[in-house]
Amino acid sequence: MERNVDLDGFLENKQNFIPHLSIDSVIFGFHQDQLKVLLLRVHDSGVWSLSGGFVRMEEGIDPAALRILRERTGLENVYLEQYHTFGHEDRSKKNTLADILDFGHTEEFRNSWLNKRFISIGYYALVDFSKVNPTPDPFSDKAEWFDLKDLPPMIFDHREMIDKALESLRANLDTKLVGFNLLPETFTMPELQSLYETILGVPLRRNNFQRKMLGMDILERIEKLYTGAANKAPYLYKFKAPNVEAV
Amino acid sequence: MERNVDLDGFLENKQNFIPHLSIDSVIFGFHQDQLKVLLLRVHDSGVWSLSGGFVRMEEGIDPAALRILRERTGLENVYLEQYHTFGHEDRSKKNTLADILDFGHTEEFRNSWLNKRFISIGYYALVDFSKVNPTPDPFSDKAEWFDLKDLPPMIFDHREMIDKALESLRANLDTKLVGFNLLPETFTMPELQSLYETILGVPLRRNNFQRKMLGMDILERIEKLYTGAANKAPYLYKFKAPNVEAV
DNA sequence: GTATTATTGTCCCAAAATGGGAAAATAATA
DNA sequence: TATTATTTTCCCATTTTGGGACAATAATAC
């Protein structure tokens, strides 16, 4: 079965990437009170992967991660954080690309640098869901958001990479005040609370949550009110400090 | 100037290491109320480095880090934690080995895989100072403990690697109860407090520190008392949970 | 208009955790 | 037996957190 997958120069590593080393990013978004991750479907398969890529010989790893992210989302300024490097000896031995992609030049692929053992540097990105333009890469034919609680089969160890990214995000949520990067410019207090509840996986109390957030003096209350329903309209807030600092 | 530095097979990568990828470990110890790091002196130079090494083609990165650690300290079971991967494009362009080591086969070295750009996975280890047997590696002629507040000139970006490791250690100190790995089996409360004060860099209150530690129900009080001076002898404690869990 | 309903925003008090001073205990020495 | 230095415990004031109740308000129902 011949599939028209264009790996322009990839198989021969014409772009001069560092061998055995990759970058994978868990792209988090928040939509309809759910935490989402952007995944790529490996060509004509039921197997999905994180947004990944390789590091050029003269390129820093942070710039490489940002470049890859730009290509998958269209976004220039994203909050990005390196959280763990995955290097178990057989992390890429299950659900390998060679197993999934059986297009024409299979033999060429199996022997190429792409089919070797890889150590992958894990990043997670926090983006404004509505601003993302999901774009597949040469290994995939589709880019789609998935609910974190309903993930599809995934390539390699990408499932564990997501789990660990969520763990890191949780740990950083309070200390680094990082959640705002998942929301649009302005938001209501219930929206912010829902975000925190979803990430942490626990319900929080309205009154105490509001007290804590306002007490930190990081929110600016926009005077205008929100369009609404048959009840009191919530205020809109914006985050005082500019979003996006990490990396 | 010809120096007798034996890099048996290193220059030609006979051991089949993954190119462009290294591991560096910040080995922390605690001695005389000071936080120490174990450093290696690059052959006949005033420049020092962390304990580092490379990953074999079929070897996981955690086992590789443990192997390197074993070679430098003689210890089998050490608390080891991966904290950050350093991959700035010119992180290895200052104080390079080629600059420092000017032994006979300089030309061979300059052209070898060792003199290329490296991405380094950073670990930190917490060890019982008294149990370590410091041992240099093929690139160094001396292994020595340094006070964290009095570090010598260091190769590459190893100084920043230490700074960032300390940052991570501080962040993990309370949540992961990791400090006990720096002490011997049994210790007194003032010793434990001194450890915390030294790592965190702030003075703590005796009474409240003790309340907090005892309140967590992780310490077992050994009934025997400590040999002493002209005052009340402190109790000895031991950590209930077995040390060494990470990695 | 007035009452109703569903939320949001605010207030208050009890419980728990923390800061910080002082007293009790004790091992050696004078 | 008193003194000294240090460890351990106790206690109270302050701050933070948990949790219930009430006031405010935007649309709808009457």
Side-chain angles (χ1 to χ4, degrees):
Chain A
M1 171 159 60
E2 169 73 37
R3 291 195 185 115
N4 194 9
V5 175
D6 181 15
L7 294 178
D8 72 85
F10 260 117
L11 287 172
E12 295 157 68
N13 196 355
K14 281 185 181 159
Q15 303 203 47
N16 207 18
F17 291 120
I18 293 180
H20 300 286
L21 185 74
S22 59
I23 284 182
D24 286 299
S25 292
V26 182
I27 304 175
F28 286 113
F30 187 65
H31 185 58
Q32 292 177 339
D33 290 339
Q34 294 298 326
L35 202 53
K36 310 272 189 180
V37 279
L38 185 64
L39 299 180
L40 308 176
R41 192 180 72 168
V42 180
H43 278 290
D44 297 302
S45 78
V47 183
W48 297 71
S49 82
L50 294 171
S51 288
F54 309 105
V55 181
R56 299 215 177 95
M57 207 49 89
E58 319 262 318
E59 181 184 36
I61 58 174
D62 290 349
L66 286 169
R67 167 177 57 77
I68 294 164
L69 217 64
R70 195 184 328 117
E71 291 167 1
R72 298 283 106 5
T73 64
L75 297 178
E76 283 293 336
N77 292 321
V78 283
Y79 179 90
L80 192 61
E81 180 123 343
Q82 187 205 302
Y83 70 99
H84 192 75
T85 294
F86 296 82
H88 193 278
E89 53 269 39
D90 27 61
R91 60 174 290 273
S92 37
K93 282 188 181 163
K94 58 180 173 179
N95 282 354
T96 67
L97 278 176
D99 292 343
I100 302 160
L101 288 172
D102 60 342
F103 45 84
H105 33 40
T106 299
E107 206 47 41
E108 188 188 357
F109 182 84
R110 284 197 184 274
N111 295 327
S112 82
W113 71 290
L114 281 175
N115 200 35
K116 293 287 194 297
R117 178 234 177 144
F118 271 85
I119 283 102
S120 188
I121 308 172
Y123 286 81
Y124 68 82
L126 305 181
V127 302
D128 179 348
F129 181 91
S130 64
K131 290 199 178 146
V132 173
N133 178 22
T135 313
D137 68 6
F139 301 94
S140 59
D141 57 8
K142 208 191 247 184
E144 220 169 75
W145 289 102
F146 279 82
D147 195 303
L148 203 57
K149 283 177 294 197
D150 191 21
L151 294 172
M154 303 209 51
I155 201 172
F156 305 150
D157 59 349
H158 283 202
R159 178 55 199 270
E160 291 109 86
M161 294 179 89
I162 293 177
D163 292 343
K164 190 138 189 161
L166 179 58
E167 230 177 77
S168 298
L169 172 57
R170 276 182 183 155
N172 283 335
L173 192 60
D174 283 325
T175 53
K176 294 196 179 179
L177 293 177
V178 110
F180 301 95
N181 295 294
L182 287 163
L183 293 174
E185 276 288 300
T186 63
F187 47 86
T188 66
M189 195 57 77
E191 281 167 1
L192 184 59
Q193 183 178 339
S194 166
L195 173 66
Y196 269 71
E197 289 179 331
T198 308
I199 294 177
L200 297 176
V202 293
L204 303 171
R205 307 195 158 261
R206 263 180 337 104
N207 48 1
N208 298 334
F209 180 79
Q210 181 139 341
R211 174 173 59 189
K212 184 178 153 191
M213 284 299 150
L214 294 180
M216 289 191 296
D217 194 40
I218 51 166
L219 295 183
E220 188 179 330
R221 180 180 277 181
I222 312 290
E223 276 313 327
K224 278 198 280 178
L225 299 190
Y226 181 65
T227 68
N231 50 39
K232 181 172 182 177
Y235 285 101
L236 282 175
Y237 295 89
K238 69 184 267 198
F239 189 52
K240 275 183 182 174
N243 284 12
V244 183
E245 327 84 6
V247 166
Chain B
M1 172 159 60
E2 170 74 33
R3 292 194 184 114
N4 195 10
V5 175
D6 183 14
L7 294 177
D8 73 88
F10 259 117
L11 287 173
E12 295 155 70
N13 196 355
K14 281 183 181 159
Q15 304 204 47
N16 206 17
F17 292 120
I18 293 180
H20 300 286
L21 185 73
S22 59
I23 285 183
D24 286 298
S25 292
V26 182
I27 304 175
F28 286 113
F30 187 64
H31 184 60
Q32 292 177 337
D33 290 338
Q34 293 299 326
L35 203 53
K36 308 274 188 180
V37 280
L38 185 63
L39 300 180
L40 309 176
R41 192 180 72 167
V42 180
H43 278 291
D44 297 301
S45 78
V47 183
W48 297 71
S49 82
L50 294 171
S51 287
F54 309 104
V55 182
R56 300 215 177 94
M57 207 49 90
E58 319 261 319
E59 182 184 37
I61 58 173
D62 289 350
L66 285 169
R67 167 178 57 78
I68 295 164
L69 218 62
R70 195 183 329 116
E71 291 167 2
R72 297 295 132 264
T73 64
L75 296 178
E76 282 294 337
N77 292 320
V78 283
Y79 178 89
L80 193 60
E81 179 124 344
Q82 188 205 302
Y83 70 99
H84 191 76
T85 293
F86 296 81
H88 193 278
E89 54 269 39
D90 25 62
R91 60 174 289 275
S92 38
K93 282 188 181 164
K94 58 179 173 181
N95 282 355
T96 67
L97 279 176
D99 291 342
I100 302 160
L101 288 172
D102 59 341
F103 45 83
H105 34 39
T106 299
E107 206 47 40
E108 189 188 358
F109 182 84
R110 285 195 184 273
N111 295 327
S112 82
W113 70 291
L114 282 175
N115 201 33
K116 294 285 194 299
R117 178 233 177 145
F118 271 84
I119 284 103
S120 187
I121 308 173
Y123 286 80
Y124 66 83
L126 306 182
V127 302
D128 179 348
F129 182 90
S130 65
K131 290 200 179 144
V132 173
N133 177 19
T135 313
D137 68 6
F139 300 95
S140 57
D141 58 8
K142 208 191 246 183
E144 220 169 75
W145 289 100
F146 278 82
D147 196 301
L148 203 57
K149 283 177 293 196
D150 191 21
L151 294 172
M154 303 209 53
I155 202 171
F156 305 150
D157 58 350
H158 284 201
R159 179 55 200 270
E160 291 108 85
M161 295 180 89
I162 293 176
D163 293 343
K164 190 139 188 161
L166 179 59
E167 231 177 76
S168 298
L169 172 57
R170 278 183 182 156
N172 283 337
L173 192 60
D174 284 323
T175 54
K176 294 196 178 176
L177 294 177
V178 108
F180 301 95
N181 296 294
L182 287 164
L183 293 175
E185 276 289 300
T186 62
F187 46 87
T188 66
M189 194 58 77
E191 280 167 2
L192 184 59
Q193 181 177 342
S194 167
L195 173 66
Y196 269 71
E197 289 179 330
T198 308
I199 294 177
L200 297 175
V202 292
L204 302 171
R205 305 195 161 259
R206 273 197 350 271
N207 47 0
N208 299 334
F209 180 79
Q210 181 140 340
R211 174 172 61 189
K212 185 177 153 190
M213 285 298 150
L214 294 180
M216 290 192 296
D217 194 41
I218 51 168
L219 294 184
E220 188 180 331
R221 179 180 280 182
I222 312 291
E223 275 313 327
K224 278 198 282 177
L225 299 191
Y226 180 68
T227 69
N231 50 38
K232 180 172 182 177
Y235 285 101
L236 282 175
Y237 295 89
K238 69 184 267 202
F239 189 51
K240 275 183 182 174
N243 283 13
V244 182
E245 327 85 4
V247 165

